[in-house]
């Protein structure tokens, strides 16, 4: 066995398929993708990787829970990479959720990126998000990106281009403004699936009202977006994406939405400025079974 890729949503495969085996001297390329969170990084994943002494290419995509300790470049080097003397290509995305004892003492993105300076496999970017005062999410990944999926992204996307990412989920308690979606379209030019969870509409202070009007001067295009999930959002976001004066969705064929919100935003399926973005939708996913009235089929002619 020279090449192995495994994608999993739990830890069982590590125990059943690998944990009781000997070293893996013939394995040259290994890729592990774990979409759901795991607590088995230290006691399952690290011991498994240490047995791959002849691996030359390694790719990791991991979501982990690791108590109070985040994954640093020093950790990766000392716990894994030092056991792989023949490794020459290492790409990774590691998303760790950590509990911290003192909110006043937490590592910044720059602090974590600094720990990767001695790793020879290319530049590394870190994103830091806070859920509350005692829970922090650290994401570290190599560039250029190789992964296709990102979840629970907040307003603070870094100023880089994620050419490989096609599936994205946004979630924040702070509102997403039009300026954010402009940056989003630039950062994820090949996005095919977008899910948004945000119940807050943007708020502008009195001295920011001119920004609200200025925002709508630019139409955002999501050229490759096929699937849009706006079921868990304030109606503002549905308006933002369906209104052709704000967004252009030439490839949209699937829309997931609350039916009554859709009915309200489209003014009972009569608004002309939304027909263009709705006209190519072939699948409408709503929150309860319904026999659509005739005006829905006129508004979505490809259903």
């Amino acid at each position: 066995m020279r090449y192995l890729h495994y994608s999993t949503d739990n830890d069982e495969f590590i125990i059943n398929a690998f944990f009781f085996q000997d070293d893996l001297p013939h394995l040259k390329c290994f890729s592990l993708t774990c979409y759901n969170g795991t607590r088995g990084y230290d006691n399952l994943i690290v011991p498994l990787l240490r047995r791959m002494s002849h691996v030359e290419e390694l790719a990791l995509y991991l979501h982990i829970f690791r108590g109070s300790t985040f994954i640093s470049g020093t950790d990766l080097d000392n716990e894994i990479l030092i056991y792989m003397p023949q490794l020459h290509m290492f790409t990774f995305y590691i998303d760790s959720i950590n509990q911290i004892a003192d909110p006043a003492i937490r590592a910044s993105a720059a602090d974590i990126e600094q720990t990767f300076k001695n790793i020879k496999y290319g530049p590394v970017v870190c994103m830091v998000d806070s859920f509350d005062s005692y829970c922090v999410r650290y994401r570290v990944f190599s560039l250029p990106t190789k992964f296709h999926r990102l979840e629970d992204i907040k307003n603070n996307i870094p100023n880089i281009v994620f050419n490989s990412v096609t599936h994205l989920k946004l979630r924040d308690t702070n509102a997403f403004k039009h300026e954010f979606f402009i940056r989003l379209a630039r950062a994820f030019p090949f996005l095919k699936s977008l899910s948004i969870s945000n119940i807050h509409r943007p708020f502008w202070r009195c001295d920011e009202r001119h920004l609200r009007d200025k925002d709508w001067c630019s139409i955002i295009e999501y050229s490759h977006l096929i699937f849009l999930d706006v079921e868990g959002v304030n109606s503002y976001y549905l308006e933002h994406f369906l209104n052709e004066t704000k967004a252009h969705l030439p490839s949209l064929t699937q829309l997931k939405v609350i039916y009554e919100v859709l009915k309200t935003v489209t003014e009972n399926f009569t608004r002309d400025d939304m027909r263009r973005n709705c006209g190519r939708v072939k699948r409408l996913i709503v929150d309860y079974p319904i026999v659509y009235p005739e005006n829905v089929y006129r508004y979505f002619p490809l259903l």
Side-chain angles (χ1 to χ4, degrees), residues 15-54:
I15 299 173
N16 295 335
F18 297 107
F19 200 71
F20 297 108
Q21 295 183 13
D22 296 326
D23 287 345
L24 303 165
H26 302 295
L27 188 63
K28 301 298 182 183
C29 302
F30 181 69
S31 173
L32 173 60
T33 300
C34 185
Y35 288 122
N36 286 349
T38 175
R39 299 184 185 276
Y41 176 80
D42 293 293
N43 63 333
L44 293 176
I45 295 176
V46 169
L48 168 65
L49 296 176
R50 285 180 177 178
R51 291 165 38 217
M52 300 179 185
S53 57
H54 289 75

Side-chain angles (χ1 to χ4, degrees), residues 16-179:
N16 295 335
F18 297 107
F19 200 71
F20 297 108
Q21 295 183 13
D22 296 326
D23 287 345
L24 303 165
H26 302 295
L27 188 63
K28 301 298 182 183
C29 302
F30 181 69
S31 173
L32 173 60
T33 300
C34 185
Y35 288 122
N36 286 349
T38 175
R39 299 184 185 276
Y41 176 80
D42 293 293
N43 63 333
L44 293 176
I45 295 176
V46 169
L48 168 65
L49 296 176
R50 285 180 177 178
R51 291 165 38 217
M52 300 179 185
S53 57
H54 289 75
V55 76
E56 298 174 2
E57 298 180 14
L58 176 65
L60 300 176
Y61 182 99
L62 305 174
H63 288 266
I64 64 175
F65 300 101
R66 206 179 184 229
S68 61
T69 307
F70 60 85
I71 302 296
S72 69
T74 306
D75 291 331
L76 287 178
D77 210 10
N78 293 339
E79 296 181 8
I80 298 174
L81 303 183
I82 196 173
Y83 295 89
M84 300 176 173
Q86 299 185 40
L87 186 69
H88 62 80
M89 181 180 294
F90 178 39
T91 59
F92 63 92
Y93 170 87
I94 301 177
D95 179 348
S96 65
I97 297 178
N98 304 91
Q99 300 293 327
I100 58 176
D102 186 350
I105 303 175
R106 65 176 63 181
S108 68
D111 292 334
I112 296 175
E113 289 172 3
Q114 187 64 35
T115 69
F116 286 86
K117 294 299 183 182
N118 294 327
I119 292 184
K120 61 183 179 180
Y121 304 103
V124 172
V125 171
C126 177
M127 298 169 60
V128 180
D129 291 314
S130 298
F131 291 106
D132 55 46
S133 299
Y134 296 93
C135 186
V136 181
R137 189 169 197 160
Y138 295 100
R139 309 170 203 255
V140 289
F141 50 91
S142 55
L143 294 178
T145 60
K146 300 293 185 182
F147 49 88
H148 304 295
R149 180 167 152 180
L150 271 178
E151 297 184 353
D152 296 334
I153 297 300
K154 303 178 79 170
N155 270 280
N156 62 334
I157 54 176
N159 188 29
I160 61 175
V161 178
F162 296 82
N163 280 323
S164 65
V165 175
T166 56
H167 292 67
L168 180 66
K169 292 184 179 181
L170 305 176
R171 181 169 67 94
D172 205 340
T173 54
N174 295 315
F176 298 119
K177 294 185 178 181
H178 188 73
E179 179 274 335

